[in-house]
Amino acid sequence: MEEVDHLDFERKTAEFDVDAMKIVWAGSQHAFDVNDRMARLVASDPAFRKDERPMLGRKDLFKNTLRKAAHAWKRIVELRLSEEEASRVRFFVDEPAYTDLHWGMFIPAIKGQGTEEQQKKWLSLAYRMQIIGCYAQTELGHGSNVQGLETTATYDPKTEEFLIHSPTLTSSKWWPGGLGKVSTHAVVYARLITDGQDHGIHGFIVQLRSLEDHSPLPGITVGDIGMKFGNGAYNTMDNGVLRFDHVRIPRNQMLMRLSQVTRDGKYMQSEVPKQLVYGTMVFVRQTIVADASNYLSRAVCIAVRYSAVRRQFGSHAGGPETQVLDYRTQQSRLFPLLASAYAFRFVGEWLKWLYTDVTQRLQANDFSTLAEAHACTAGLKSLTTTVTADGIEECRKLCGGHGYLCSSGLPELFAVYVPSCTYEGDNTVLFLQVARFLMKTISQLTSGIKPVGTAAYMGRLEQLMKSTCDACSAEDWLKPSVVLGAFEARSARMAATCAQQISTSPSPEDGFTELSSALAEAAVAHCQLIVVSKFIDKLQQDIPGAGVKHQLNNLCFVYALSLLHKHSGDFLSTGCITPKQAMLANEQLRSLYAQLRPNALALVDAFNYTDHFLNSALGLYDGNVYPTLYEQAWRDPLNESVVPEGYVEYIRPLLKQQLRISRL
Amino acid sequence: MEEVDHLDFERKTAEFDVDAMKIVWAGSQHAFDVNDRMARLVASDPAFRKDERPMLGRKDLFKNTLRKAAHAWKRIVELRLSEEEASRVRFFVDEPAYTDLHWGMFIPAIKGQGTEEQQKKWLSLAYRMQIIGCYAQTELGHGSNVQGLETTATYDPKTEEFLIHSPTLTSSKWWPGGLGKVSTHAVVYARLITDGQDHGIHGFIVQLRSLEDHSPLPGITVGDIGMKFGNGAYNTMDNGVLRFDHVRIPRNQMLMRLSQVTRDGKYMQSEVPKQLVYGTMVFVRQTIVADASNYLSRAVCIAVRYSAVRRQFGSHAGGPETQVLDYRTQQSRLFPLLASAYAFRFVGEWLKWLYTDVTQRLQANDFSTLAEAHACTAGLKSLTTTVTADGIEECRKLCGGHGYLCSSGLPELFAVYVPSCTYEGDNTVLFLQVARFLMKTISQLTSGIKPVGTAAYMGRLEQLMKSTCDACSAEDWLKPSVVLGAFEARSARMAATCAQQISTSPSPEDGFTELSSALAEAAVAHCQLIVVSKFIDKLQQDIPGAGVKHQLNNLCFVYALSLLHKHSGDFLSTGCITPKQAMLANEQLRSLYAQLRPNALALVDAFNYTDHFLNSALGLYDGNVYPTLYEQAWRDPLNESVVPEGYVEYIRPLLKQQLRISRL
């Protein structure tokens, strides 16, 4: 095959050092090197092919995933890969599998909630995959509200065992990944009952399947919950259902770091501070934000490349048609998403720092930043996953009809991503938690309690309520102080308005309930401010590479000003900016789009994604789109025969009018 | 099975006559009766089961669709159903199939573009399904821009034939439904070339497959283009690829109503006005708008019912948790979609009238309303399909985690619906057509040309530029004149601002291009005004049934005020309303949500959808959600065996650490 880069002409227009940008995107030279090596390792191994995924039926699809997971483990062991490298291999294999839950939830749960003794026993088995575990929390009738779980763990002091039981249909464990067909063990969350008293939800290690023949142990009913959204996508995962019929486990399989049950059934809290669980939450949500930038950047990469290849209308004098990427409507939908991908990258980086900071403080019994850190991570999880889910679908639409084909890679990307809006905290529920934090922050201002971290600006509330925006020209909207000022004032005023309305309500709780929709909007404003300010912080750093910082600067202001346009109702109704200033910001935004245009392709090249990882005929590095689409079409099972199965039974009789005749 | 209505308590809170509302929704008593009979006919026939769809591989899925299509035809013939009834049967079978294109595109194309002689010959075959046809327009490299098609039809006067040919890879026909595996014939669009001259795109009837054994005729390469978005969904359709290698067809298979090629190869325009094609366009887009309300209402019906069943948080003193439908955040996302479903229903009804009106005018050679009608239908197509696609996904998210299961019905509903944002005119392209119409309308005002129909308000542009909104209280936002005034002023001012900016640009075309993003927003504003005003018109009609009109009134203002909130930036930046008035509108909106709440379930019952049609465990009429989800899970192919296929090869070796050993 000839090697022609059909997008070479586009790459030549870039005004910055793409290799240097790759390092910025990866986070460090080291991270880039590891990513690059592991991505190539996976891409070059035919065992990790994934383009056939949408065509496989459920059973073949699932067996294929088992094969890949085993093969990945084999390669990890053979090549003696480090922990970091192994996790990158799993990332680039890019297929939801039971291993995600084993490494990402089962092991961390034991680490976080198990005693040292428990960790020693179970983690050594888990690290070698001699047992495979999952995380069984949600139930058929209970998702967000963990305190509503119905599964019981009743202590029996006579045998020193817990009886794990599912008292109702709605108490069936439902959704845990890896549960349906693979896991041998689970961390099961259940109401702890000792001596007739309900002590709330606790975690227990329960063996589910025989280690000899994989059959479910007595008293355990377990299976898969069925097909989920999309082709391939999360159907490679055995999300499961699990019911217990008085299953007995030994006392020492309750996770006892935070609380214990003694031999004689006495319930005791340990001295370990409960707040430790928040550290884990910050960690998990930080990975979700990082993931958002991974997924959004993939979709944007596909859409930008195909928009450079695709031409439509605007042919002059028989010349080629106009590249779709040249249309302002395309730019105004696509470039804000490109900017968001970078913005989420940097806020994700900052969250890594936040996690370290929180962990250190917790170890020093300093809980002063915990509420702020918790609100901030909850909000950023919601904001970034919402934007990414919508953004992937927007990128799909921006690819026109061909985006609807599985060979574009976008349908599967969307389907596999959207659950992140629901898991680890439903986005609306989390935004309301942020709002609650904001209301508390405001109410505490009068008592002189100074807000910290990402909420510090609320300490200047009085000033922000009356500040005015300085922007007199379109260029003024490129000043960080102007943009930050507008975003701070907007967020502060939206929150303050809610607080004021709540204060006039009969009860604060009723007021909060009544206003919850406005409160969620205030939370969004607060979180957008965080992302904007962390992007601006990033620009204060020393960033090497010709033109790199200039591009990041443009992306930062595209991010901020496109948000300002989208939410202009917020900014205008709170009087943070004038209609005239909104118009100037929009003018500046259009100018930024024009500046981004020649750099767009290079900015997605900087993600350094392999064609294997993107898995998209539209997003190929070399832009060889149409021959690839054409070839892939013929691989559909329907094309195995020229005349389709069913012709004789269901088509020919119509054409021959035999259906009509058969009636006579 | 016991028959318990778990939602009975909710139904009892309705404050209006649900049966009367069913007639309003259906459009007439007659339409209700036909719909109801045909829906039951399909639902009661086990041959039309569709809950297994997401689990089928491509070939089984497709064969199953062939079976259903043949069965539907058999029933239609057996029961001697009328044309109207037959089309409702196909609607309720609810599975994309080649028949959609045969009846919906192939036959109408021949009707619209064929001569009487051609109609006589081909339609009599098509009506009896002795031939099966599709509509082959789009090509691999050419979608929206029909004039860019590359397929050629070159006339050969020696044999009095056309040579149909695909000169390039990108000229391959790509996407036509029914083409891949079923159609025996196609209306093919190609560049007509006679005597070396290119006369642009024309339609030709081309036989593709043998009527004896279904094999493709010589020179024809045809197949399926592969998997598309979603489980089941459009994968029941054989969207196809088609290439011609100098295929000869007789001269009389060019569709010759609008232009002809004589025996000796002379090209001639007929006297039939070209504008006739716009009539067809108005018709097709009217059906798309009606479809939008069908799809959106289905998603809303599922989400409302499940939100009434589902409980989460808020348990007081051990009582049941709060119904999710009681949460304001849920209401503020769900009720505007419920209102949109009704709004689209009524604007769709009005479009039927518009189609009749346009047709009558065309027959009388009156083209005065054509541009307005064309812009209006283009815009409404874009607006309603965009909102519906996003709305279905929003409903899915509002169902929490379970909405991600195929058994919720929502993933397939989304996947099967989204292409409507792209086909029959990409939504962005169409909005820009509307904007072009608006700019022209404004520029013609100075020449005294009075805008008509949905653009008539533009005739009051001067007045609308300086009008002020009268709303002084929340209640004022329930006055039709206040709401209409605000929407008219917003739309007029957004369009006028664009027109003014374009006029200061070096060239109008450059100005239009540069501003296209703002122009698309102005088009959206214009279209939303149309929907609001047609809903308000509907309320002026006599509507029988206790409480029915009051509910419709509430829905109308929920629709308008939720838009006003969402787009408050438009209203505020153009000075149509003040921040204070925006706040009052929002206050009124919250009050309307509270009034809708007890009627929400009955308002979706009024759609009169059978459980078969909804195909959703979450949307069951009786609310028996959890047992149904539980039972459906066990039917997944993965649950056929307790120990999964692949255990021995890929799980056991991990657990037994045999992978590690094999390395030594």
Side-chain angles (χ1 to χ4, degrees):
Chain A
M1 213 173 92
E2 52 170 349
E3 283 192 29
V4 179
D5 183 357
H6 299 271
L7 287 171
D8 187 47
F9 74 103
E10 267 289 334
R11 296 201 156 92
K12 285 191 172 134
T13 62
E15 298 157 322
F16 69 97
D17 180 344
V18 182
D19 288 331
M21 187 67 91
K22 286 182 180 174
I23 311 297
V24 176
W25 177 262
S28 69
Q29 181 72 49
H30 169 76
F32 173 81
D33 291 340
V34 175
N35 277 338
D36 194 57
R37 255 187 310 121
M38 295 305 116
R40 287 166 198 271
L41 179 75
V42 172
S44 64
D45 189 336
F48 292 126
R49 264 187 73 167
K50 54 187 181 175
D51 53 346
E52 80 297 338
R53 224 162 29 195
M55 290 179 260
L56 298 178
R58 183 80 204 277
K59 279 165 84 169
D60 289 339
L61 182 69
F62 184 69
K63 189 174 173 185
N64 197 39
T65 303
L66 295 181
R67 181 184 59 72
K68 286 188 190 179
H71 184 70
W73 182 244
K74 184 162 168 275
R75 295 298 287 155
I76 288 165
V77 173
E78 278 174 359
L79 297 169
R80 298 175 186 277
L81 298 184
S82 69
E83 182 85 10
E84 183 192 15
E85 290 167 328
S87 96
R88 300 321 286 164
V89 165
R90 283 191 292 270
F91 173 79
F92 288 114
V93 168
D94 186 40
E95 191 158 301
Y98 65 91
T99 43
D100 301 350
L101 287 302
H102 177 77
W103 295 102
M105 298 290 282
F106 181 70
I107 287 177
I110 295 174
K111 267 188 183 168
Q113 297 159 49
T115 61
E116 268 180 49
E117 204 179 59
Q118 288 175 320
Q119 294 192 33
K120 206 173 145 195
K121 171 173 178 186
W122 295 102
L123 291 182
S124 65
L125 290 167
Y127 281 140
R128 283 177 291 167
M129 299 203 84
Q130 290 177 285
I131 61 174
I132 298 170
C134 66
Y135 186 89
Q137 180 184 302
T138 50
E139 297 175 355
L140 184 54
H142 310 277
S144 298
N145 184 12
V146 177
Q147 297 313 316
L149 294 178
E150 295 179 78
T151 304
T152 52
T154 311
Y155 187 65
D156 178 356
K158 272 176 267 160
T159 59
E160 296 185 12
E161 288 170 320
F162 292 101
L163 273 85
I164 313 286
H165 187 60
S166 311
T168 61
L169 182 77
T170 48
S171 74
S172 309
K173 292 293 172 189
W174 191 269
W175 275 117
L179 166 65
K181 291 287 149 184
V182 179
S183 292
T184 60
H185 290 68
V187 169
V188 172
Y189 290 86
R191 320 195 70 79
L192 167 62
I193 294 165
T194 67
D195 213 11
Q197 247 206 306
D198 183 335
H199 296 282
I201 305 303
H202 291 74
F204 302 83
I205 297 176
V206 184
Q207 181 171 351
L208 306 175
R209 292 181 167 94
S210 152
L211 290 171
E212 282 316 306
D213 65 5
H214 211 63
S215 58
L217 297 187
I220 284 175
T221 306
V222 62
D224 185 274
I225 58 169
M227 290 292 288
K228 288 145 289 186
F229 198 167
N231 328 77
Y234 249 96
N235 294 304
T236 59
M237 180 72 88
D238 54 331
N239 295 91
V241 48
L242 168 64
R243 289 177 61 79
F244 299 102
D245 183 6
H246 301 92
V247 171
R248 287 180 174 268
I249 59 167
R251 188 182 63 94
N252 65 9
Q253 286 179 212
M254 169 175 160
L255 291 170
M256 297 229 199
R257 187 172 177 205
L258 299 173
S259 42
Q260 294 91 37
V261 169
T262 61
R263 282 167 183 255
D264 55 349
K266 206 172 289 168
Y267 179 74
M268 289 164 54
Q269 303 273 357
S270 81
E271 283 157 28
V272 180
K274 286 246 177 238
Q275 286 91 337
L276 272 185
V277 297
Y278 287 102
T280 315
M281 230 183 236
V282 172
F283 176 75
V284 171
R285 290 184 181 155
Q286 168 246 308
T287 65
I288 294 181
V289 171
D291 244 16
S293 97
N294 288 330
Y295 275 89
L296 185 55
S297 59
R298 284 169 76 170
V300 167
C301 183
I302 295 169
V304 166
R305 285 183 181 162
Y306 181 51
S307 297
V309 170
R310 185 180 176 210
R311 292 170 183 274
Q312 206 81 172
F313 292 110
S315 160
H316 293 293
E321 296 175 277
T322 304
Q323 287 171 283
V324 171
L325 195 52
D326 281 331
Y327 287 104
R328 302 300 190 283
T329 44
Q330 192 84 354
Q331 294 171 9
S332 68
R333 293 163 71 192
L334 191 45
F335 290 172
L337 295 172
L338 174 60
S340 300
Y342 274 92
F344 295 170
R345 195 72 178 179
F346 300 136
V347 82
E349 244 174 38
W350 171 77
L351 277 177
K352 271 189 214 165
W353 169 85
L354 183 74
Y355 172 64
T356 319
D357 182 64
V358 165
T359 310
Q360 284 169 356
R361 286 172 190 269
L362 284 177
Q363 282 162 354
N365 272 323
D366 167 7
F367 305 129
S368 62
T369 64
L370 206 55
E372 182 265 324
H374 178 252
C376 158
T377 52
L380 289 175
K381 183 272 176 183
S382 293
L383 181 71
T384 58
T385 55
T386 302
V387 171
T388 298
D390 293 349
I392 296 170
E393 170 62 6
E394 183 78 348
C395 286
R396 196 191 62 70
K397 288 209 189 93
L398 288 169
C399 290
H402 299 349
Y404 190 61
L405 284 171
C406 288
S407 49
S408 77
L410 292 164
E412 192 174 17
L413 204 63
F414 180 74
V416 85
Y417 188 73
V418 285
S420 60
C421 296
T422 312
Y423 64 53
E424 280 299 314
D426 176 90
N427 284 355
T428 305
V429 173
L430 292 184
F431 274 134
L432 288 177
Q433 289 180 7
V434 176
R436 215 171 265 283
F437 163 77
L438 292 175
M439 293 307 101
K440 196 171 172 189
T441 301
I442 289 178
S443 74
Q444 289 180 335
L445 288 176
T446 47
S447 356
I449 298 179
K450 264 200 165 171
V452 295
T454 55
Y457 71 104
M458 284 285 184
R460 291 180 278 115
L461 184 60
E462 246 179 272
Q463 180 195 332
L464 288 169
M465 292 304 287
K466 52 191 184 203
S467 64
T468 53
C469 174
D470 293 337
C472 305
S473 68
E475 290 70 39
D476 282 345
W477 280 111
L478 295 179
K479 294 180 185 160
S481 61
V482 170
V483 167
L484 269 182
F487 274 81
E488 285 180 352
R490 167 206 182 206
S491 175
R493 292 180 195 190
M494 287 174 77
T497 307
C498 288
Q500 197 271 326
Q501 288 188 282
I502 289 174
S503 72
T504 64
S505 148
S507 90
E509 210 36 56
D510 288 355
F512 192 91
T513 300
E514 182 62 27
L515 280 174
S516 51
S517 187
L519 283 159
E521 288 170 7
V524 169
H526 172 70
C527 297
Q528 288 175 341
L529 163 63
I530 298 176
V531 181
V532 168
S533 75
K534 295 307 162 194
F535 205 152
I536 288 176
D537 286 353
K538 176 81 188 176
L539 296 173
Q540 311 314 311
Q541 293 175 17
D542 190 33
I543 301 173
V548 168
K549 196 179 232 176
H550 182 65
Q551 293 303 320
L552 293 178
N553 196 72
N554 284 351
L555 288 167
C556 175
F557 287 93
V558 163
Y559 180 71
L561 298 183
S562 61
L563 283 180
L564 189 140
H565 177 63
K566 190 175 167 195
H567 297 272
S568 59
D570 292 354
F571 289 89
L572 291 164
S573 66
T574 51
C576 298
I577 62 170
T578 64
K580 168 81 184 165
Q581 288 171 327
M583 223 185 66
L584 292 171
N586 229 3
E587 197 182 314
Q588 183 54 254
L589 184 58
R590 283 201 297 271
S591 152
L592 286 169
Y593 290 157
Q595 293 174 54
L596 262 193
R597 169 64 188 87
N599 298 289
L601 190 71
L603 285 169
V604 302
D605 284 348
F607 304 147
N608 198 42
Y609 292 143
T610 63
D611 283 345
H612 170 272
F613 187 61
L614 285 179
N615 197 27
S616 166
L618 304 184
L620 293 171
Y621 180 83
D622 67 5
N624 193 33
V625 168
Y626 296 116
T628 309
L629 278 175
Y630 190 81
E631 281 158 29
Q632 293 205 359
W634 296 102
R635 293 171 45 208
D636 192 89
L638 265 194
N639 289 327
E640 282 166 17
S641 62
V642 176
V643 174
E645 283 179 30
Y647 163 69
V648 175
E649 305 96 302
Y650 308 124
I651 299 177
R652 197 180 152 85
L654 285 187
L655 295 169
K656 297 293 176 193
Q657 301 214 285
Q658 287 160 352
L659 287 180
R660 188 181 274 267
I661 290 159
S662 74
R663 183 168 70 99
L664 298 177
Chain B
M1 210 172 95
E2 52 170 350
E3 283 192 30
V4 179
D5 182 357
H6 300 271
L7 287 171
D8 187 47
F9 74 104
E10 267 289 335
R11 296 200 157 91
K12 285 190 173 135
T13 62
E15 299 157 320
F16 68 97
D17 179 343
V18 182
D19 288 331
M21 187 67 92
K22 286 182 182 175
I23 311 298
V24 175
W25 177 263
S28 69
Q29 181 72 49
H30 169 76
F32 173 80
D33 290 341
V34 175
N35 276 336
D36 195 56
R37 255 189 309 121
M38 295 304 115
R40 287 166 197 271
L41 178 74
V42 172
S44 65
D45 189 336
F48 292 126
R49 264 187 75 164
K50 55 186 179 175
D51 53 346
E52 80 298 339
R53 225 161 30 194
M55 289 178 262
L56 298 178
R58 183 81 205 277
K59 280 165 83 169
D60 290 338
L61 182 70
F62 185 69
K63 190 173 172 185
N64 196 40
T65 303
L66 295 181
R67 180 184 58 72
K68 286 187 190 179
H71 184 70
W73 182 244
K74 184 163 167 275
R75 295 297 288 155
I76 287 164
V77 173
E78 278 173 359
L79 298 169
R80 298 175 187 275
L81 298 184
S82 70
E83 183 86 9
E84 183 192 16
E85 289 167 330
S87 96
R88 300 321 287 163
V89 165
R90 283 191 292 271
F91 174 80
F92 288 114
V93 168
D94 186 40
E95 190 157 304
Y98 65 90
T99 43
D100 301 349
L101 287 302
H102 177 78
W103 295 101
M105 298 291 281
F106 181 71
I107 288 177
I110 295 174
K111 267 188 184 168
Q113 297 159 49
T115 60
E116 268 180 46
E117 204 180 59
Q118 288 176 322
Q119 294 192 33
K120 204 172 147 195
K121 171 174 177 185
W122 296 103
L123 291 182
S124 66
L125 290 166
Y127 282 140
R128 283 177 291 166
M129 298 203 85
Q130 291 177 285
I131 61 174
I132 297 169
C134 66
Y135 186 88
Q137 180 183 301
T138 51
E139 298 175 355
L140 184 53
H142 309 277
S144 299
N145 184 11
V146 177
Q147 296 314 314
L149 294 177
E150 294 179 80
T151 304
T152 53
T154 310
Y155 187 64
D156 178 356
K158 273 176 268 162
T159 59
E160 295 184 12
E161 289 171 321
F162 292 102
L163 274 85
I164 313 286
H165 186 61
S166 311
T168 60
L169 182 77
T170 47
S171 75
S172 309
K173 290 294 171 189
W174 191 269
W175 275 117
L179 167 64
K181 291 287 150 183
V182 179
S183 292
T184 60
H185 290 68
V187 169
V188 173
Y189 289 86
R191 320 194 70 79
L192 168 63
I193 295 166
T194 67
D195 214 10
Q197 247 206 304
D198 183 334
H199 296 282
I201 305 304
H202 290 74
F204 302 83
I205 298 177
V206 184
Q207 182 171 351
L208 306 175
R209 291 180 168 92
S210 153
L211 289 171
E212 282 316 306
D213 64 5
H214 212 63
S215 58
L217 297 187
I220 283 176
T221 306
V222 62
D224 185 273
I225 58 170
M227 291 292 288
K228 288 144 288 184
F229 199 167
N231 329 74
Y234 250 96
N235 294 304
T236 59
M237 180 72 88
D238 54 331
N239 295 91
V241 48
L242 168 65
R243 289 177 62 78
F244 299 101
D245 182 7
H246 301 93
V247 171
R248 287 180 174 269
I249 60 166
R251 188 182 64 93
N252 65 9
Q253 285 179 213
M254 170 175 159
L255 291 170
M256 297 230 198
R257 186 172 177 206
L258 299 173
S259 42
Q260 294 90 38
V261 170
T262 62
R263 282 168 182 255
D264 55 350
K266 207 172 286 166
Y267 179 75
M268 290 163 51
Q269 302 274 355
S270 81
E271 283 156 28
V272 179
K274 288 243 176 239
Q275 286 89 340
L276 272 185
V277 297
Y278 287 102
T280 314
M281 230 182 236
V282 172
F283 176 75
V284 171
R285 290 183 181 156
Q286 167 247 308
T287 64
I288 293 180
V289 172
D291 245 16
S293 96
N294 288 328
Y295 275 89
L296 186 55
S297 58
R298 283 168 76 170
V300 167
C301 182
I302 295 168
V304 166
R305 286 184 180 162
Y306 181 51
S307 297
V309 169
R310 185 180 177 209
R311 293 170 183 272
Q312 206 80 172
F313 293 109
S315 160
H316 293 293
E321 296 176 278
T322 305
Q323 285 171 284
V324 171
L325 195 53
D326 281 331
Y327 288 104
R328 302 300 191 285
T329 43
Q330 192 84 354
Q331 294 172 8
S332 69
R333 292 162 72 192
L334 191 46
F335 289 171
L337 295 173
L338 173 60
S340 300
Y342 275 92
F344 296 170
R345 196 72 178 180
F346 299 136
V347 83
E349 243 173 39
W350 171 77
L351 278 178
K352 272 190 214 163
W353 168 86
L354 184 74
Y355 171 65
T356 320
D357 183 64
V358 165
T359 310
Q360 284 170 355
R361 285 172 190 269
L362 285 177
Q363 282 162 355
N365 273 323
D366 168 6
F367 306 129
S368 63
T369 64
L370 206 55
E372 183 265 323
H374 178 251
C376 157
T377 52
L380 290 175
K381 183 270 177 187
S382 293
L383 181 72
T384 59
T385 56
T386 303
V387 171
T388 298
D390 294 349
I392 295 170
E393 170 62 7
E394 183 78 350
C395 286
R396 196 191 62 70
K397 288 208 189 95
L398 288 169
C399 291
H402 299 348
Y404 191 62
L405 283 171
C406 289
S407 50
S408 78
L410 291 165
E412 192 175 18
L413 204 63
F414 180 74
V416 85
Y417 188 73
V418 284
S420 60
C421 295
T422 312
Y423 64 54
E424 280 298 314
D426 175 89
N427 284 355
T428 305
V429 173
L430 292 184
F431 275 134
L432 288 178
Q433 288 179 8
V434 176
R436 215 171 264 284
F437 163 77
L438 292 175
M439 293 306 102
K440 197 170 170 188
T441 302
I442 289 178
S443 75
Q444 288 180 336
L445 287 176
T446 47
S447 355
I449 298 179
K450 266 200 164 169
V452 296
T454 55
Y457 72 105
M458 284 284 183
R460 292 180 278 116
L461 184 61
E462 245 180 272
Q463 179 195 331
L464 288 169
M465 292 303 288
K466 53 191 184 201
S467 64
T468 53
C469 174
D470 293 338
C472 305
S473 68
E475 289 70 39
D476 282 345
W477 280 111
L478 294 179
K479 293 179 186 161
S481 62
V482 170
V483 166
L484 269 183
F487 274 81
E488 284 180 352
R490 166 207 182 204
S491 175
R493 292 180 195 190
M494 287 175 78
T497 308
C498 288
Q500 197 271 326
Q501 288 188 284
I502 289 174
S503 71
T504 65
S505 149
S507 92
E509 209 39 54
D510 288 354
F512 192 91
T513 300
E514 182 62 27
L515 281 174
S516 51
S517 187
L519 283 159
E521 288 170 6
V524 169
H526 172 70
C527 297
Q528 288 175 341
L529 163 63
I530 298 175
V531 181
V532 168
S533 74
K534 296 305 161 196
F535 205 152
I536 288 176
D537 285 354
K538 176 81 188 177
L539 296 174
Q540 311 314 311
Q541 294 175 16
D542 191 33
I543 301 173
V548 169
K549 196 179 233 175
H550 181 65
Q551 292 304 319
L552 293 178
N553 196 72
N554 284 352
L555 288 167
C556 176
F557 287 93
V558 163
Y559 179 72
L561 297 183
S562 61
L563 283 180
L564 189 140
H565 177 63
K566 189 175 167 194
H567 298 272
S568 59
D570 291 354
F571 289 88
L572 291 164
S573 67
T574 51
C576 298
I577 62 170
T578 63
K580 168 82 185 162
Q581 288 171 327
M583 223 185 67
L584 292 172
N586 229 2
E587 197 183 314
Q588 182 55 252
L589 185 57
R590 283 201 298 271
S591 152
L592 286 168
Y593 289 158
Q595 293 174 54
L596 263 192
R597 170 62 188 90
N599 297 289
L601 190 71
L603 284 169
V604 302
D605 283 348
F607 304 148
N608 197 42
Y609 292 143
T610 63
D611 283 344
H612 170 272
F613 187 61
L614 286 179
N615 197 28
S616 167
L618 305 184
L620 293 171
Y621 181 84
D622 67 5
N624 193 33
V625 168
Y626 296 116
T628 310
L629 278 175
Y630 189 81
E631 281 158 30
Q632 293 205 359
W634 296 103
R635 293 172 45 209
D636 192 88
L638 266 194
N639 288 326
E640 281 166 18
S641 61
V642 176
V643 174
E645 284 180 30
Y647 163 70
V648 174
E649 305 97 301
Y650 308 124
I651 299 177
R652 196 179 153 85
L654 285 186
L655 295 169
K656 297 293 176 194
Q657 300 213 283
Q658 286 160 353
L659 287 180
R660 186 181 274 268
I661 290 158
S662 74
R663 183 168 69 98
L664 298 176

